[in-house]
């Protein structure tokens, strides 16, 4: 399909292409760490997601958005590399249908489709999403020479957050930075996620206010609870590097459609996500928490903007009245 034919079926969205570019190194890293199955899984999910959106958009003679590719990639990268194909496909169909199309398509969705898809399979198929993991390969050729890397069976080799919750042990910070840990395909290498975040901020595609707000909210509350000796809360640095917090901060929380539009609202939104993540991780049944924290914040995003705009209007009217009195 050439570019002219491509434009017949898809809405051109430069912002979405920038996000895809930022994800390419993370996709390659997932192949290196876990094997070629990650690329096959990504391809199958993308076909299912694009087809789902095309079926519903065709009914209204509308084009498919390029954003659907971003949703498919992000959703796939939040999955363990061993996720059964049929479960992954079921999730993306649910996410595109019930988090996007039922609201009217691109630009009208309240929730992030990729996160809704992830939450759906997490709740409906907990075993492959919480127990079955793969070891991260290192050295040459890493996972490039295999379909899927060796599976993890022992608790001592589980994901960093599961390991901490079950045993109180923390993975090496260097391993978390490089990506030498088990986990979802896109969340393992902190350094690649940070570089992607810098790139998106430079391109003015992602909100740095939201990213900063998440880190402030998370670091603030986790530091207080950790200092108070709460054994369920790890030190903030470990918490930031583990459990998908960075991946969610850079790619999910900054979704321009489901996030607030006002500058002040972005700060509030980000801080809310960070705080809720700490609470879920420490006191709920979920080892991660970032996914549910963002979905909860999605619910409040319109209210946050309404509150910010109402406050601005109140301040403006109050200032005008004071000026009238002064005259």
């Amino acid at each position: 399909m050439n570019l002219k034919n491509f434009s017949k079926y898809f809405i051109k969205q430069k912002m979405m292409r920038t996000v895809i570019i930022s994800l390419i190194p993370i996709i390659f890293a997932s192949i290196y760490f876990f094997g070629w199955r990650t690329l096959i899984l990504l391809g199958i999910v993308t076909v299912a997601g694009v087809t789902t959106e095309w079926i519903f958009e065709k009914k209204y003679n509308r084009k498919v958005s390029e954003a659907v590719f971003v949703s498919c990639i992000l959703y796939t990268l939040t999955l363990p590399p061993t996720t059964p194909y049929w479960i992954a496909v079921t999730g993306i169909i649910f996410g595109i249908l019930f988090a996007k199309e039922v609201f009217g398509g691109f630009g009208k969705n309240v929730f992030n489709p990729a996160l809704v898809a992830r939450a759906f399979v997490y709740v409906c198929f907990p075993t492959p999403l919480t127990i079955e993991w793969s070891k991260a390969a290192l050295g040459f050729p890493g996972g490039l020479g295999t379909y899927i890397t060796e599976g993890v069976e022992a608790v001592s080799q589980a994901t960093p957050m599961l390991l901490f919750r079950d045993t109180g042990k923390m993975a090496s910070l260097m391993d978390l930075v490089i990506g030498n840990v088990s986990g979802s395909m896109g969340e393992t290498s902190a350094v690649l996620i940070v570089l992607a975040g810098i790139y998106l901020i430079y391109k003015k595609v992602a909100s740095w206010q939201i990213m900063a707000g998440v880190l402030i909210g998370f670091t603030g509350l986790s530091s207080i609870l950790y200092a108070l000796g709460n054994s369920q809360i790890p030190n903030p640095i470990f918490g930031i590097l583990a459990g998908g917090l960075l991946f969610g901060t850079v790619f999910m929380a900054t979704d321009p459609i489901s996030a607030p539009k006002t500058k002040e609202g972005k700060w509030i939104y980000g801080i809310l996500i960070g705080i809720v993540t700490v609470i879920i991780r420490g006191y709920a049944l979920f080892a991660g928490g970032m996914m549910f924290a963002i979905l909860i914040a999605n619910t409040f995003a319109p209210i946050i903007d309404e509150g910010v705009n109402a406050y601005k209007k109140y301040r403006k009217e109050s200032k005008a009245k004071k000026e009238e009195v002064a005259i």
Side-chain angles (χ1 to χ4, degrees):
M1 181 184 291
N2 57 41
L3 292 177
K4 290 184 178 180
N5 290 333
F6 184 86
S7 63
K8 291 181 181 179
Y9 303 100
F10 297 91
I11 302 172
K12 294 182 179 180
Q13 297 171 306
K14 185 177 180 181
M15 179 183 294
M16 294 301 127
R17 295 180 195 177
T18 303
V19 176
I20 292 174
I21 291 172
S22 73
L23 286 165
I24 290 176
I26 298 176
I27 294 173
F28 279 118
S30 69
I31 298 172
Y32 170 77
F33 286 127
F34 301 112
W36 288 101
R37 189 182 192 278
T38 61
L39 186 61
I40 298 173
L41 184 63
L42 175 59
I44 292 174
V45 167
T46 301
V47 171
V50 172
T51 301
T52 300
E53 182 164 322
W54 175 77
I55 290 173
F56 284 89
E57 294 298 332
K58 183 181 179 182
K59 181 179 179 181
Y60 301 100
N61 294 319
R62 296 189 302 224
K63 297 180 181 180
V64 175
S65 66
E66 290 186 21
V68 71
F69 291 99
V70 175
S71 295
C72 292
I73 295 172
L74 291 178
Y75 163 68
T76 304
L77 291 176
T78 65
L79 299 174
T82 56
T83 304
Y85 294 125
W86 70 272
I87 290 180
V89 168
T90 301
I92 194 62
I93 292 174
F94 182 91
I96 297 299
L97 176 57
F98 290 100
K100 188 174 184 179
E101 295 306 319
V102 296
F103 289 99
F106 175 75
K108 300 178 181 179
N109 51 289
V110 177
F111 301 99
N112 185 305
L115 281 178
V116 170
R118 178 61 160 78
F120 175 75
V121 295
Y122 184 90
V123 173
C124 295
F125 312 102
T127 299
L129 270 294
T130 59
I131 297 177
E132 299 174 1
W133 304 95
S134 295
K135 294 180 181 178
L138 285 180
F140 184 82
L144 299 177
T146 184
Y147 169 68
I148 186 69
T149 54
E150 182 182 354
V152 171
E153 297 179 358
V155 174
S156 60
Q157 295 176 322
T159 66
M161 287 306 302
L162 287 172
L163 176 64
F164 174 79
R165 188 187 66 179
D166 295 335
T167 67
K169 297 180 180 179
M170 290 187 289
S172 164
L173 294 182
M174 183 56 65
D175 286 341
L176 292 173
V177 170
I178 297 174
N180 184 26
V181 292
S182 298
S184 298
M185 293 181 287
E187 71 178 30
T188 56
S189 180
V191 64
L192 289 180
I193 297 172
V194 170
L195 290 175
I198 294 173
Y199 174 75
L200 292 176
I201 292 173
Y202 171 75
K203 288 291 186 177
K204 298 181 180 180
V205 170
S207 168
W208 68 268
Q209 293 95 339
I210 293 178
M211 294 187 196
V214 174
L215 296 178
I216 290 172
F218 181 87
T219 304
L221 182 57
S222 60
S223 295
I224 293 172
L225 295 176
Y226 181 72
L228 293 174
N230 193 313
S231 61
Q232 297 168 287
I233 306 297
N235 71 70
I237 297 177
F238 174 82
I240 290 173
L241 296 176
L245 185 130
L246 283 178
F247 187 82
T249 298
V250 172
F251 296 108
M252 303 294 198
T254 56
D255 174 23
I257 305 302
S258 56
K261 308 301 184 290
T262 60
K263 182 178 179 180
E264 297 83 357
K266 291 177 181 179
W267 281 104
I268 298 170
Y269 177 78
I271 292 172
L272 175 64
I273 291 173
I275 290 174
V276 174
T277 300
V278 175
I279 295 172
I280 293 177
R281 281 185 176 186
Y283 305 103
L285 298 175
F286 313 110
M290 188 64 176
M291 168 179 60
F292 291 109
I294 296 175
L295 288 174
I296 291 172
N298 284 167
T299 305
F300 288 96
I303 301 175
I304 292 173
D305 273 341
E306 286 292 329
V308 169
N309 289 329
Y311 179 72
K312 286 182 177 180
K313 183 178 179 180
Y314 169 76
R315 288 289 302 271
K316 185 176 181 180
E317 291 177 349
S318 298
K319 183 178 180 180
K321 290 181 179 179
K322 289 180 180 179
E323 290 177 351
E324 289 178 3
V325 172
I327 294 175

